[in-house]
Amino acid sequence: AATAAHKSRKIYCYIGPSITGLIQRGDICRGTRKKALAKWDEAIKKYPLIKTLIVSGDKLPEARLKVKKPGNALYKNYQRILGKA
């Protein structure tokens, strides 16, 4: 039961660029990854790469650095969304 309660308190954060009217950089969702993906479903449908930039709280510090540093998938996906938005 403790594990289930811990999982329900997990946070997910969008680390991609803000897209007016759809999703904001740094937006947070508490709960499961499924709940986070459902919250941002409309944005993901329009920009599927958004899904790759929704990270769990435990990976957030590392992921926030990666989106700023060339040479990895998070950076590439951030730039692709930025170019289309």
Side-chain angles (χ1 to χ4, degrees):
T3 307
H6 175 71
K7 283 184 179 179
S8 69
R9 287 192 302 253
K10 198 165 190 176
I11 67 159
Y12 288 87
C13 183
Y14 172 65
I15 59 169
S18 293
I19 303 171
T20 305
L22 276 181
I23 194 166
Q24 298 298 309
R25 178 179 174 87
D27 198 4
I28 291 175
C29 181
R30 294 184 191 282
T32 63
R33 180 161 177 82
K34 185 177 179 179
K35 181 179 175 186
L37 296 177
K39 175 181 178 179
W40 296 308
D41 183 59
E42 185 181 339
I44 292 168
K45 283 179 183 169
K46 193 163 186 178
Y47 301 95
L49 289 175
I50 284 175
K51 189 175 183 177
T52 66
L53 296 171
I54 296 171
V55 298
S56 62
D58 55 343
K59 298 198 187 320
L60 186 57
E62 181 183 353
R64 286 177 63 182
L65 294 175
K66 281 186 172 184
V67 296
K68 297 176 185 175
K69 187 175 181 181
N72 66 79
L74 289 176
Y75 177 84
K76 282 183 182 178
N77 291 344
Y78 185 104
Q79 295 303 316
R80 287 178 182 151
I81 292 170
L82 198 59
K84 290 182 180 179

